[in-house]
Amino acid sequence: MKKIEKEELHRIQIGILDYFAEFCDNHELRYWIDYGTLLGAIRHRGYIPWDDDIDVSMLRKDYERLMDCFNREGMGRYQFLCPEKDRKYYYPFGKIVDTETVLYEMGEKGLKIGVYIDVFVVDYAPDDDVKLRKIFGKRDFYGRLRRYQLPLGQAKISAKRIGVLGIQAILKFVPRQYFALKIIYNARKYTHTETKRVCGMTDPYDKIHWVVSRKLFEDFCEVEFEGKKYHAPAKYDKWLKILYGDYMKLPSKEEQSAAQHDIEAYYIE
């Protein structure tokens, strides 16, 4: 197999993003570029120089419509992966992959997929703070158990290795998809209740508890990313300040290094 270098990796990811964006527009599905991709668009007009992935987000109702129709109505080369549809997939959010490539996520040690973009979900959050804390608490609990299933050398967990190894010995009999589905079920509790707030309940990092007014994701604009235009929240300045604080300030070299993903990608021959 021919290895895919970083510049080519970016080109493939942009191809996925273009197809995804056009598909969403044609099917009246709302999406926006998010997290490091949105930050890169505003600060660099493209990739953050040390970044190697693309993030988009959708409200739950649009995400579930995408989940139901993308693989059925799409062109075939690009496939949508999520634990609700694929028993081998164990993230609580989706990825759109290029099936003409293969990508190894070394940190996860076990998930072999194609070059992808991440599709995150924004859920309605209860207006009651006590109920919100309970939902986040469950998310964090299931997230920790999910990480305990990863090899000890890769998972960022407690230094009490003996106890951790004991937990891992038990959890190895639990399907890795199980806790992702638990996280999703917990996140969907208010799917059919239009509350005043929304939150990221299936993000890959527990202990990050953001909740904002749903109005933040009601109006959109277009921003430039690698010479092309994509949807972004009209109030992206407010959103990026919530996520990163002084987002125009470059992080330290150590933070830049920590943000890089441990991946290897190849073309399928």
Side-chain angles (χ1 to χ4, degrees):
M1 293 188 294
K2 180 183 177 182
K3 187 172 183 179
I4 298 172
E5 302 299 338
K6 186 172 183 178
E7 184 176 340
E8 183 69 1
L9 178 71
H10 286 180
R11 189 190 67 78
I12 298 170
Q13 290 169 339
I14 291 293
I16 302 172
L17 177 60
D18 287 342
Y19 181 82
F20 164 80
E22 183 178 4
F23 187 92
C24 287
D25 289 342
N26 290 340
H27 289 76
E28 297 183 345
L29 302 173
R30 288 188 297 174
Y31 81 91
W32 61 94
I33 59 171
D34 212 346
Y35 300 109
T37 306
L38 178 60
L39 175 59
I42 302 306
R43 195 170 65 193
H44 305 277
R45 293 194 176 184
Y47 281 94
I48 296 173
W50 51 89
D51 201 7
D52 51 15
D53 69 353
I54 287 179
D55 303 323
V56 299
S57 291
M58 309 179 79
L59 294 172
R60 173 68 66 179
K61 61 181 180 180
D62 295 298
Y63 177 89
E64 293 192 343
R65 284 180 58 204
L66 180 80
M67 179 176 67
D68 289 338
C69 71
F70 188 89
N71 291 345
R72 183 177 68 251
E73 300 179 20
M75 64 177 285
R77 174 177 177 176
Y78 302 119
Q79 292 287 304
F80 181 76
L81 300 182
C82 62
E84 296 97 320
K85 300 289 186 179
D86 189 334
R87 297 185 63 180
K88 295 181 181 179
Y89 182 84
Y90 49 80
Y91 289 100
F93 53 90
K95 293 179 186 287
I96 296 179
V97 303
D98 183 337
T99 61
E100 295 183 1
T101 66
V102 60
L103 181 143
Y104 298 92
E105 292 205 316
M106 310 304 288
E108 292 293 338
K109 196 175 182 180
L111 187 61
K112 174 184 174 182
I113 52 179
V115 175
Y116 62 82
I117 66 171
D118 286 319
V119 186
F120 295 111
V121 194
V122 173
D123 284 288
Y124 282 115
D127 295 322
D128 185 304
D129 284 341
V130 174
K131 293 180 179 178
L132 179 65
R133 285 195 294 272
K134 287 182 179 179
I135 292 178
F136 271 126
K138 284 187 177 180
R139 191 281 301 268
D140 295 349
F141 174 71
Y142 293 133
R144 286 193 295 271
L145 290 177
R146 178 183 171 276
R147 286 206 313 280
Y148 285 143
Q149 291 181 302
L150 304 180
L152 189 60
Q154 303 292 341
K156 297 178 181 179
I157 53 180
S158 170
K160 299 178 181 179
R161 297 179 66 91
I162 295 178
V164 170
L165 286 170
I167 295 172
Q168 287 185 321
I170 296 172
L171 293 181
K172 72 179 181 180
F173 298 105
V174 179
R176 295 183 75 177
Q177 182 195 44
Y178 178 80
F179 294 117
L181 291 173
K182 282 288 190 180
I183 292 170
I184 293 168
Y185 178 79
N186 179 60
R188 295 185 74 259
K189 286 186 176 179
Y190 290 83
T191 296
H192 302 294
T193 304
E194 292 194 1
T195 59
K196 297 179 181 178
R197 304 188 294 183
V198 294
C199 62
M201 201 61 70
T202 59
D203 287 357
Y205 310 107
D206 58 291
K207 299 183 180 179
I208 297 180
H209 296 173
W210 66 259
V211 56
V212 299
S213 169
R214 73 181 192 186
K215 293 182 179 180
L216 190 60
F217 302 121
E218 288 183 348
D219 298 314
F220 296 90
C221 63
E222 288 192 332
V223 296
E224 182 180 339
F225 184 83
E226 296 296 330
K228 301 182 179 183
K229 298 285 188 177
Y230 302 100
H231 300 320
K235 298 179 181 178
Y236 62 78
D237 177 68
K238 181 177 180 179
W239 176 226
L240 288 173
K241 285 178 179 176
I242 290 171
L243 289 174
Y244 304 110
D246 184 6
Y247 63 86
M248 295 302 288
K249 181 180 178 181
L250 294 177
S252 67
K253 294 293 184 181
E254 292 75 16
E255 291 171 319
Q256 293 177 24
S257 179
Q260 295 178 359
H261 298 80
D262 187 10
I263 61 174
E264 290 185 7
Y266 302 85
Y267 283 110
I268 297 176
E269 296 179 348

